[in-house]
Amino acid sequence: PSREAAMALVYGCMELLDRLASAEKPDDRPSESLTRREIECLRWSAAGKSSDEIAIILDLSPHTVVGYLKSAMRKLDSVNRMQAVARAFRYRLL
């Protein structure tokens, strides 16, 4: 095939793979959707920030940050903060 035909074929394959990836099974998503603040706290946790540091960044109390993270862990069926971050990455929430 010509270069243009090969590029069109590659592009078509990439679109197909993208559609297949977005058509995930319902059990591949968290049972409840995360709030904006829960996702923000998970993002900062993924960046290596502590609850106290996240509280300063987001202008919240450390207790509130811990609450958001606990809620996110529950929704993501995680036992700790890092597992929640990993699952959020897997679900493409971060």
Side-chain angles (χ1 to χ4, degrees):
S2 68
R3 181 174 171 86
E4 291 80 21
M7 291 303 292
L9 185 60
V10 168
Y11 182 74
C13 289
M14 288 173 59
E15 281 187 330
L16 176 63
L17 289 172
D18 207 30
R19 284 190 192 133
L20 289 173
S22 65
E24 297 174 356
K25 297 177 233 162
D27 58 345
D28 285 347
R29 307 293 310 158
S31 57
E32 297 178 58
S33 55
L34 275 67
T35 66
R36 180 181 58 86
R37 282 295 200 184
E38 290 166 346
I39 291 172
E40 282 179 322
C41 290
L42 285 172
R43 281 190 180 135
W44 284 112
S45 289
K49 301 295 183 189
S50 69
S51 295
D52 291 335
E53 292 170 323
I54 296 170
I56 292 168
I57 293 166
L58 298 178
D59 195 30
L60 301 169
S61 77
H63 180 73
T64 303
V65 171
V66 169
Y68 283 133
L69 289 170
K70 281 185 180 181
S71 178
M73 290 186 317
R74 180 187 53 78
K75 290 177 181 180
L76 294 169
D77 194 29
S78 305
V79 295
N80 60 39
R81 181 186 297 205
M82 292 320 297
Q83 186 180 26
V85 167
R87 288 188 180 187
F89 270 116
R90 186 178 334 137
Y91 297 143
R92 295 183 178 153
L93 299 173
L94 303 183

